Amino acid sequence: MYKNENLFKDFLHLKRAKNSKVRLFMDIESFTYNKKMGKKNPSLYKSDEFSVAISFFLNDEENIPNVIIFPSFFSFLSFMFENAYKKYEYVLVFHNGYKFDNHFFRNSVIRNFENVKLENMYLRNAVSNRNTVTKKNILNDDNDIIIAEKRVKSSSTLDIFAYIKGFKFSFEDTYMKTNTSIRVLGKKLLNNGYITEKYLKTDFDY
């Protein structure tokens, strides 16, 4: 059993309007391995996540978020399949996720599930949008696993929408909205009196 598992279940089971967006504030820790071979061939470097932390507020009166930590994206998704509702869209909010976390999520889904379909997401400013999909026109059923992806400004900047066994997952990157680091954001909020020092760092009990 995960720490704060029951609180997270309560959060997932809160009554919401149909098609509501449920935001989960997330962060991962990762490690790199196979470094010796990677020096000979960079494509042989391997990275993987070893924790997926999710912060959530059970009610509007809470000032400090509750946190639940999963060992991987696969364990997080398995938990969602058993405890979440398909009628909502789950928005996974990362800081610098386009450059980092989204890639780990994509790789985890491809590695852990069979018959993953990769689609190109519609780009508003693209020269051509042939063979692309939008959230609304993805053809699927509850057994499908689909990742619609687009590269934003560069090949390493990845935005995705995932439809996994009837569950909808979209992604937000707070760095794209603020263009600054978490450290600087925290200092600005502290200096302007919006938070106190206890908000600057969260210690996770692994």
Side-chain angles (χ1 to χ4, degrees):
M1 184 173 182
Y2 303 107
K3 183 177 180 181
N4 288 336
E5 177 177 324
N6 289 332
L7 286 177
F8 191 48
K9 287 181 180 178
D10 290 342
F11 172 78
L12 293 174
H13 295 163
L14 289 174
K15 290 185 177 180
R16 302 175 173 93
K18 188 177 180 181
N19 298 322
S20 291
K21 292 186 176 182
V22 180
R23 280 177 167 75
L24 303 176
F25 299 91
M26 306 184 66
D27 187 32
I28 72 169
E29 297 294 336
S30 64
F31 66 98
T32 301
Y33 57 97
N34 212 32
K35 292 183 178 180
K36 184 178 291 187
M37 294 302 295
K39 291 180 180 179
K40 299 178 181 179
N41 185 345
S43 66
L44 296 177
Y45 272 115
K46 303 296 180 183
S47 296
D48 210 343
E49 77 274 8
F50 66 84
S51 78
V52 177
I54 302 170
S55 299
F56 59 96
F57 294 92
L58 198 54
N59 57 64
D60 294 336
E61 298 177 358
E62 290 184 332
N63 293 320
I64 295 290
N66 300 290
V67 177
I68 185 170
I69 301 173
F70 296 94
S72 65
F73 278 119
F74 179 71
S75 58
F76 157 68
L77 290 172
S78 298
F79 186 91
M80 296 294 284
F81 297 155
E82 293 183 5
N83 298 284
Y85 296 129
K86 295 179 180 179
K87 59 184 177 180
Y88 303 132
E89 178 180 329
Y90 296 93
V91 183
L92 311 188
V93 183
F94 292 97
H95 193 76
N96 207 22
Y98 284 7
K99 288 281 190 180
F100 188 72
D101 310 80
N102 293 10
H103 295 269
F104 282 85
F105 182 92
R106 177 186 183 274
N107 292 342
S108 178
V109 172
I110 293 173
R111 183 175 63 250
N112 289 292
F113 296 94
E114 296 181 349
N115 302 318
V116 178
K117 300 177 184 178
L118 298 178
E119 302 279 6
N120 292 315
M121 196 184 301
Y122 176 86
L123 279 170
R124 184 176 58 184
N125 297 323
V127 175
S128 173
N129 269 299
R130 294 180 62 186
N131 301 318
T132 61
V133 298
T134 65
K135 289 182 184 181
K136 294 181 179 180
N137 70 7
I138 290 178
L139 299 177
N140 54 68
D141 60 41
D142 282 358
N143 293 317
D144 282 341
I145 300 174
I146 301 170
I147 294 179
E149 58 185 42
K150 62 181 176 182
R151 307 286 170 164
V152 184
K153 295 184 179 179
S154 71
S155 60
S156 62
T157 307
L158 177 67
D159 185 16
I160 57 180
F161 175 82
Y163 190 98
I164 305 175
K165 294 187 175 182
F167 288 86
K168 300 181 288 290
F169 298 96
S170 58
F171 292 73
E172 283 187 6
D173 187 346
T174 53
Y175 181 81
M176 300 293 286
K177 296 182 178 182
T178 61
N179 198 32
T180 190
S181 68
I182 286 287
R183 183 185 296 274
V184 172
L185 285 174
K187 287 182 178 180
K188 287 184 176 181
L189 291 171
L190 178 66
N191 293 338
N192 286 279
Y194 293 108
I195 61 173
T196 60
E197 288 191 5
K198 69 179 181 179
Y199 290 90
L200 291 179
K201 179 64 178 177
T202 302
D203 293 321
F204 294 151
D205 183 12
Y206 286 99

